[in-house]
Amino acid sequence: PSNEVAGAVSPSPAQLGEGVMGAKNGTGASAWACSMAVDGVEQRFQTCSIMKRTGQNFQLMWNLTADPNSPDTTLMTMGMRAAIPNQYISVGFPSKPKSMINAAAMIMANSDAGTSLRQYYMDGYGVQDVFPSDKGMNLLSITEPSGISSNGRVSGMFTMSLPYPLPDSQDAGALASFPMIFAAGDVNPDGSLRRHYDDTASNMNLAYAVFANGEFIAIDDIKDPNSCV
């Protein structure tokens, strides 16, 4: 199900009848490389990557679009997909690069209690310091996972507003080197989170999406246990 934040304007990604990640067709032209099914609907994204050092088959996909209400902000729709048996993965937006303190995060979890994708805030390093909150990011909508796919993967999607104009270059500006943190951990049977066992940090080139035309991008996600989540 999709949860819209009251008053928010959120574009949906284009739908695609069939999608794969990183595929090419026989002529050498690109097939649409970045798509996933979310809540039973195939969604197409401008670009995608694999977070090699976090979780199991953690794939990240995203779109950037101009905000129709402000030339100074950009709307980002991001999809998350991973195999998470009684586990969670998170995408974090730190106030200080590589640190989970005072960071917002989108956490997708799967347990005996069901699957979910929710916004959290983190003000410390302990499990007790990670709690549901609307602080730290301008979240517009969430499409929560509705169940587990036949191959054990879970997918979810969210849209947020970023306080920067839509990029006019894939190599310059704040969105070409945007600090993010990622983590994976176990989930208790009741759905509560346990301390993460993987964490990485990356200065993400989010701007690449505007120019990617569905192409995969390699991300240098750096394992940094001393200063990350």
Side-chain angles (χ1 to χ4, degrees), residues 182-208:
F182 306 90
D186 292 323
V187 180
N188 293 313
D190 64 358
S192 59
L193 307 179
R194 302 178 67 180
R195 182 169 173 79
H196 64 275
Y197 56 75
D198 273 346
D199 62 73
T200 56
S202 178
N203 288 330
M204 297 280 290
N205 186 351
L206 298 179
Y208 181 76

Side-chain angles (χ1 to χ4, degrees), residues 100-116:
M100 71 179 285
I101 296 180
N102 298 324
M106 296 300 299
I107 299 181
M108 186 167 69
N110 173 46
S111 71
D112 294 344
T115 56
S116 64

Side-chain angles (χ1 to χ4, degrees), residues 33 71 83 104 111 166 216 218 228:
S111 71
L166 187 70
F216 175 89
C228 195

Side-chain angles (χ1 to χ4, degrees), residues 88 95 98-105 107 120-131 135 181 183 194-196 227-229:
Y88 67 87
S95 57
K98 301 182 181 181
S99 176
M100 71 179 285
I101 296 180
N102 298 324
I107 299 181
Y120 286 74
Y121 190 76
M122 303 176 288
D123 62 8
Y125 292 107
V127 174
Q128 71 277 5
D129 301 318
V130 180
F131 50 89
K135 292 174 59 177
I181 54 179
R194 302 178 67 180
R195 182 169 173 79
H196 64 275
S227 59
C228 195
V229 186

